[in-house]
Amino acid sequence: MVSDRDADAPVAASALQAGVEGVGGWRRLLLAFVMGAVAVAAFPPFHIIPALAPAIAVLIWLSASADRPRDAAVAGLAFGLGHFIAGLYWISGAFMVVGGPASVAACPAVIGLSFYLALFPAAVCAAYRALCGRNVPFSVTAAITFAALWTLGEWLRGWLLTGFPWNPMGSVWVVSDAMLQVAGLVGVYGLSLITVFTAAAFAGTWWQGKWRGGAWQVGMVPAALIALIWMGGSVRLGQVPAPGTNTVEDVRLRLVQPHIPQRLKWVRELRPRHVQDQIALSLQPGADGEPPPTHVIWAETAIPFYVNGDDVLLRELVAAVPAGGVLLSGGLRRDGDARFNSLFAINGDGRIVASYDKVHLVPFGEYMPLAGLIPFRKLTSGMVDFSAGDGLAATVVAGLPPFQALICYEAIFPGKVTATGTRPAWLLNVTNDAWYGMSSGPHQHFAMVRIRAVEEGVPVVRVANTGISAVVDPYGRVLASLPLGARGIIDAGLPRASAPTVFSTYGNGPVLILAFLAISVIRALGRRPTRLG
């Protein structure tokens, strides 16, 4: 029996589409899995953005051609597994560093996390099949619907169960400073909406063999949209100060990247040597003719001790404090039975003049959810779980504009990197990506940090133990950086913030409302997808 939705499907399809339509059973799931992995090529450090077109095309086709929404969900689950296993393989490095029983859990942990994250594309595909019916997969309204659902899925993934918004589709555009500028309006989720729509629309026209006879013009619409966004971003960059020319007066930062291997970082007898090594880097002469640093910044847990209450340690750290300035460093804080992953500001008198406790802790890394049921300890050093800080709050230190500290992956959450109702002058992200070695993980992490700068319209200073350390201006431009696996310092000025952005004022709300409205309007009109071309 053929439904009225199926009756209007085009008889003639491209040879490629016809070939894929012959795939059934487990081959459909294998195809979905492979296409999910292919999509990872668009992300850092590869930047092969065209890989998204066939990946999204196949996923939409698998969803639309499924007999039932639950079959579409299974295809989406397979796609998600391929996508997240290939995109998050580097997480296994943390288990291998710990060694022992934890190394056995490396692969199961990646697969388990990927399975959970794959539930979100599974839900997207099921919803798409339910809304659009069993029809030709590529159409104007279909592309809009799928992109809107995908965007809502990404947002939900970044919120549910503390959230993990890693590798949103919009982050593929870090390869272009001009393309990133639209994030100041719509954020990375808005970029994901645009990216998935254009990939679906462009690939749909190609997939159906519509490039002949004038219908190719429809396929030019997404290309024109990308070109328009790029031109708008280029115009914006042409109207702002040149990179590095608009900095805060009398502030000179020194970023210290010691490149301490994670397997050696917490070795008890080596910890004092690590501190001394970073002090030596802090005192290293700068370039000829350059002013000396006013503030020195070390990475997350760069001080591998409990800092507060240790007067001997604080006196030792004074050696790294510039005259009249402060040392900003990650370290551990103890308050009774509570333990915190913290950032400290230490002045030339050896006093802690400000501190920040990490708020958004890493499950299984800094605390064990369901500790009574899971027979493993957390991956980070020590048996005691870390406690979460009281909340995001701007840190005020003499000689510096107010800043928001973000420790490790706190910087990956769109719209959640500043306290409600406040806008700091800059963001300071200290992290320790040494857990993941020379993998794609640190590159992906750095990409999301750059997008936060554009979204919020404030510069980001990032200091990592093994890289990537960098100074990023409020337009996402990298002014200075040290690559992954390098040892050294960066001396740089602190860029000034731009005017408040639309995103910094309204956050993710407008894009989420737009996505809901797009789906609701298409649904209310009762229209099946109109064929492309």
Side-chain angles (χ1 to χ4, degrees):
M1 182 175 179
V2 179
S3 69
D4 59 345
R5 292 180 182 269
D6 295 325
D8 294 331
V11 175
S14 69
L16 181 56
Q17 183 184 6
V20 173
E21 285 178 348
V23 177
W26 65 267
R27 294 179 179 84
R28 289 173 62 93
L29 302 184
L30 178 60
L31 178 63
F33 183 91
V34 170
M35 286 296 102
V38 166
V40 174
F43 292 89
F46 310 109
H47 303 296
I48 308 174
I49 298 178
L52 287 181
I56 296 298
V58 169
L59 183 59
I60 294 179
W61 173 81
L62 290 172
S63 302
S65 63
D67 291 334
R68 295 161 295 184
R70 72 180 184 183
D71 297 323
V74 174
L77 185 70
F79 180 95
L81 274 172
H83 186 66
F84 292 114
I85 288 174
L88 300 175
Y89 74 91
W90 45 267
I91 290 177
S92 62
F95 292 82
M96 303 309 292
V97 168
V98 174
S103 61
V104 178
C107 286
V110 173
I111 294 172
L113 175 61
S114 298
F115 183 88
Y116 164 70
L117 297 176
L119 295 175
F120 295 94
V124 167
C125 293
Y128 176 79
R129 172 62 179 81
L131 288 172
C132 295
R134 193 174 189 275
N135 201 358
V136 177
F138 301 107
S139 64
V140 174
T141 53
I144 295 172
T145 302
F146 189 84
L149 288 169
W150 186 275
T151 302
L152 294 174
E154 282 193 346
W155 171 81
L156 191 62
R157 174 162 64 90
W159 170 79
L160 195 64
L161 299 180
T162 79
F164 191 59
W166 199 271
N167 279 356
M169 284 294 182
S171 65
V172 301
W173 293 111
V174 293
V175 71
S176 168
D177 291 341
M179 285 297 298
L180 282 187
Q181 300 313 300
V182 74
L185 294 174
V186 297
V188 73
Y189 293 138
L191 261 176
S192 290
L193 180 68
I194 294 166
T195 302
V196 176
F197 166 73
T198 54
F202 186 87
T205 306
W206 163 70
W207 186 271
Q208 294 184 97
K210 295 289 185 178
W211 290 105
R212 296 183 297 275
W216 61 270
Q217 295 169 351
V218 178
M220 296 303 294
V221 172
L225 176 60
I226 294 298
L228 183 64
I229 292 172
W230 179 85
M231 287 189 292
S234 297
V235 169
R236 185 191 189 210
L237 291 176
Q239 295 175 339
V240 302
T245 61
N246 187 26
T247 57
V248 178
E249 293 181 2
D250 300 324
V251 173
R252 186 74 173 172
L253 305 178
R254 169 161 290 187
L255 286 55
V256 175
Q257 182 172 299
H259 186 42
I260 300 170
Q262 188 61 35
R263 61 185 177 81
L264 302 179
K265 181 177 175 64
W266 295 98
V267 175
R268 184 175 298 276
E269 57 270 23
L270 295 180
R271 294 184 199 179
R273 186 189 305 174
H274 297 332
V275 173
Q276 287 298 325
D277 183 45
Q278 292 174 97
I279 291 175
L281 284 169
S282 303
L283 298 176
Q284 183 174 302
D288 292 341
E290 294 292 335
T294 59
H295 298 81
V296 173
I297 309 176
W298 293 1
E300 177 189 14
T301 60
I303 307 171
F305 300 100
Y306 290 107
V307 180
N308 61 314
D310 191 337
D311 293 337
V312 174
L313 174 63
L314 288 170
R315 285 195 296 270
E316 182 180 358
L317 293 171
V318 166
V321 180
V326 297
L327 167 67
L328 297 168
S329 176
L332 305 178
R333 190 175 77 84
R334 179 165 42 197
D335 185 2
D337 292 332
R339 305 292 187 269
F340 298 91
N341 184 354
S342 304
L343 179 82
F344 297 93
I346 301 168
N347 70 6
D349 296 326
R351 292 189 300 111
I352 298 172
V353 295
S355 65
Y356 164 79
D357 298 325
K358 186 177 182 181
V359 175
H360 208 137
L361 302 177
V362 180
F364 305 103
E366 293 173 313
Y367 75 99
M368 284 298 298
L370 305 175
L373 301 177
I374 302 176
F376 295 107
R377 63 180 179 88
K378 63 184 178 68
L379 294 179
T380 50
S381 181
M383 298 297 293
V384 179
D385 284 359
F386 284 107
S387 298
D390 294 332
L392 296 176
T395 301
V396 179
V397 174
L400 286 173
F403 65 90
Q404 175 62 61
L406 299 167
I407 299 177
C408 191
Y409 92 142
E410 287 186 313
I412 74 171
F413 294 88
K416 297 181 181 179
V417 295
T418 62
T420 303
T422 64
R423 184 172 184 259
W426 57 295
L427 304 176
L428 173 58
N429 177 220
V430 295
T431 188
N432 178 26
D433 288 346
W435 287 99
Y436 312 114
M438 302 296 288
S439 69
S440 60
H443 295 276
Q444 296 167 2
H445 196 179
F446 180 51
M448 288 179 277
V449 169
R450 287 182 58 197
I451 297 174
R452 297 296 87 78
V454 184
E455 287 174 339
E456 301 295 336
V458 297
V460 175
V461 175
R462 186 173 195 262
V463 186
N465 172 21
T466 56
I468 303 167
S469 299
V471 177
V472 180
D473 75 4
Y475 310 101
R477 298 176 297 191
V478 180
L479 305 184
S481 67
L482 279 171
L484 183 63
R487 179 181 184 273
I489 59 173
I490 295 174
D491 288 341
L494 175 63
R496 293 184 183 274
S498 70
T501 64
V502 171
F503 184 88
S504 68
T505 303
Y506 299 103
N508 294 310
V511 168
L512 298 178
I513 292 172
L514 178 62
F516 272 116
L517 284 177
I519 296 169
S520 300
V521 168
I522 291 172
R523 182 66 176 170
L525 292 175
R527 294 180 58 190
R528 64 174 178 82
T530 303
R531 293 195 302 270
L532 285 172

